[in-house]
Amino acid sequence: MVKRALISVSDKCGIVDFAKKLQEMGVEILSTGGTAKTLMESGISVISVSDVTGFPECLDGRVKTLHPAIHGGLLAIRENEEHMAQLKNLGIQPIDLVVINLYPFKETIKKENVILEDAIENIDIGGPTMLRAAAKNYQDVAVVIDPADYDRVIEELEQSGALSRDTKYRLALKVFEHTAHYDALIAQYLREQIQGEFPEVLTLTYEKVQDLRYGENPHQQAVFYKESGKNPGSLVNAEQLHGKELSFNNINDANGALELLKEYSEPAVVAVKHTNACGVGSGYDLFDAYHKAYSCDPTSIYGGIVAANQKVDRRTAEEMNKIFLEIIIAPDFEADALEILKGKKNIRLMKLPEIQSKQPENALDLKKINGGLLIQNVDGQLHKEEELKVVTQRIPTKKEMEDMLFAWKVVKHIKSNGIVLAKDLQSLGIGPGQVNRIWAVENAIRQANLPIKGSVLASDAFFPFADCVEAAAKAGITAIIQPGGSQNDEASIEMANQYGIAMIFTGMRHFKH
């Protein structure tokens, strides 16, 4: 039976109605500070926690509930006769229901220009302590942290006069999940202030976005979580304007398209299939960029995902509408473009205004392995200008250099071993995910849909042998950009000189496994 409840909430949504229904059931209500004021102004009888403890709130409200008169009432096991005798001797009454939500730490640190002192002041102490105490004693004390549970609690109390052990267990579990999340956010924020080394003990926290129909395959269960924080430019912030829910593979592929798209400031379009780009184009406007991306591989783009860094106009929408696309992501859509694209029932249209916002370089890249986790900083760099080095007799032309840098952006996001052929700011052939580099070169050449004579080649890592350069030369490729660093670099350089190919070393590798 719930005879006594303690209510202290920062989020007051729904709390007045909830407290009124408790009072109608004869429940005595204890409260603190702003919550007590809100309840009393609504005509609800409230006993101040200060009257229970015999001490006023002090230290600007930092100390209110940290007292045996509160925690004794929460932690006493009702079936333990010794516990109950001690409560009686100490004049402490049991508390049967705790309704608390915490200081808004997450909301505080998401504000622009928040300072450390403000963040610290919004770290709740008494709230988590009471929540954990009540949850530990869940068999006797019900604890509610989420306003979404108010109706469920009231309904069960009205029907049976008490809360079941199963309900109290689930509410307690929710508390421990929430306080773990809360503490992880605090630790994460404090570590970000010093940008130190990776911690000895790592606790990561994510918030559920949605359940997914299934994972990579129909027999796998799946769910989508997001990082706590602002996450500008992330798919988690995209507004879906049309189409059914995104699937696991949709989300994974779309993320790959977005990360590649962020490399370009000029109008650009990226088409992705199974996390690899199947076409990338940059042009004087979005229509030109889309035409280039499409022309690279008209077969693979079918059923793929397209990301654009400019508002989609009517002309481009008409072209996109000629084939089946799973998803189109853009910063915005013109009204008539949106109307055209909505004509297809199954296409997903995603609006992401901050589409070009990049992750900070100290953001984490996580790879789950069986029984462990690999963590690294994201690959946030492209190349260092001072490390670009011409290593051949022939110097690349301005146009070749422009195309090589375009291709270098693409190959950075291609699965290793990865090769990209490009010309006129357009990908021509892409050879991703091969177990040796010559196969990647041969695949890129063989799969090219457009003539590759006079194109350039980008390789995500060095050439172990000169055969890659020879194959490129025989295909008519005139310039190569690669990291360098192989023991056989000289052999590749000699082969390039033999065929009159210009070659650039970047000094930076971009493996993507």
Side-chain angles (χ1 to χ4, degrees), residues 86-293:
Q86 287 182 43
L87 287 193
K88 185 175 181 180
N89 291 336
L90 294 169
I92 297 174
Q93 294 186 50
I95 298 172
D96 309 306
L97 173 65
V98 172
V99 185
I100 291 175
N101 45 63
L102 305 178
Y103 291 173
F105 181 81
K106 181 177 72 172
E107 289 72 16
T108 300
I109 61 174
K110 288 172 72 173
K111 293 177 181 176
E112 294 293 334
N113 304 315
V114 64
I115 60 174
L116 178 62
E117 289 73 16
D118 286 343
I120 294 293
E121 201 56 37
N122 278 278
I123 296 175
D124 203 324
I125 302 299
T129 306
M130 286 188 291
L131 286 170
R132 289 170 62 85
K136 177 176 179 175
N137 203 24
Y138 76 91
Q139 73 277 5
D140 292 321
V141 183
V143 55
V144 182
I145 196 170
D146 186 353
D149 291 319
Y150 291 168
D151 288 345
R152 174 186 175 184
V153 168
I154 292 298
E155 182 179 348
E156 191 167 332
L157 287 174
E158 287 177 337
Q159 288 179 353
S160 59
L163 294 175
S164 69
R165 187 182 181 91
D166 179 69
T167 295
K168 289 186 286 188
Y169 180 90
R170 291 178 181 277
L171 291 172
L173 171 61
K174 202 167 188 176
V175 163
F176 285 117
E177 288 175 339
H178 185 82
T179 55
H181 171 66
Y182 193 78
D183 286 339
L185 277 180
I186 294 168
Q188 177 180 306
Y189 172 79
L190 294 177
R191 179 160 290 280
E192 287 172 355
Q193 306 314 300
I194 58 173
Q195 296 186 355
E197 299 175 356
F198 292 120
E200 292 298 318
V201 176
L202 178 67
T203 303
L204 301 173
T205 182
Y206 293 84
E207 300 169 25
K208 186 176 179 181
V209 177
Q210 67 185 81
D211 291 309
L212 301 174
R213 286 177 295 152
Y214 53 81
E216 284 183 287
N217 301 291
H219 62 274
Q220 294 172 269
Q221 292 184 328
V223 67
F224 182 26
Y225 288 90
K226 69 175 182 178
E227 292 180 352
S228 299
K230 297 178 184 177
N231 306 310
S234 167
L235 188 65
V236 300
N237 291 329
E239 177 188 358
Q240 186 163 349
L241 304 177
H242 178 72
K244 58 186 179 182
E245 283 188 351
L246 300 182
S247 70
F248 182 100
N249 291 331
N250 289 156
I251 294 167
N252 195 30
D253 291 348
N255 181 69
L258 286 174
E259 292 310 301
L260 172 49
L261 185 71
K262 295 177 194 299
E263 301 287 354
Y264 299 94
S265 55
E266 65 275 18
V269 170
V270 173
V272 163
K273 199 74 170 288
H274 301 302
T275 72
N276 275 306
C278 59
V280 183
S282 179
Y284 52 85
D285 63 14
L286 197 66
F287 180 85
D288 183 38
Y290 174 73
H291 177 72
K292 288 178 177 179

Side-chain angles (χ1 to χ4, degrees), residues 18 40 83 89 104 130 172 210 218 225 227 231 239 253 270 308 312 338 353 361 370 398 402 409 424 473 478 492:
F18 182 72
M40 287 189 289
H83 280 197
N89 291 336
M130 286 188 291
Q210 67 185 81
Y225 288 90
E227 292 180 352
N231 306 310
E239 177 188 358
D253 291 348
V270 173
V312 176
L338 195 59
E361 288 189 9
N370 188 0
K398 181 180 179 181
E402 187 179 52
K409 293 175 181 178
D424 300 328
T478 62
S492 292

Side-chain angles (χ1 to χ4, degrees), residues 356-424:
Q356 290 183 280
S357 296
K358 293 185 177 182
Q359 298 182 77
E361 288 189 9
N362 64 345
L364 300 181
D365 176 41
L366 285 63
K367 297 182 187 296
K368 179 72 174 68
I369 65 166
N370 188 0
L373 190 67
L374 291 171
I375 296 182
Q376 62 182 348
N377 291 126
V378 294
D379 186 6
Q381 298 185 52
L382 186 63
H383 62 77
K384 293 180 180 178
E385 198 70 33
E386 67 274 12
E387 292 185 6
L388 293 179
K389 181 182 178 183
V390 179
V391 295
T392 49
Q393 294 169 0
R394 188 170 81 78
I395 298 173
T397 66
K398 181 180 179 181
K399 181 178 179 301
E400 285 174 331
M401 197 69 203
E402 187 179 52
D403 282 337
M404 281 193 288
L405 293 178
F406 170 88
W408 188 243
K409 293 175 181 178
V410 180
V411 82
K412 173 186 170 184
H413 295 270
I414 296 298
K415 294 291 179 67
S416 300
N417 288 313
I419 296 291
V420 171
L421 311 182
K423 185 179 180 181
D424 300 328

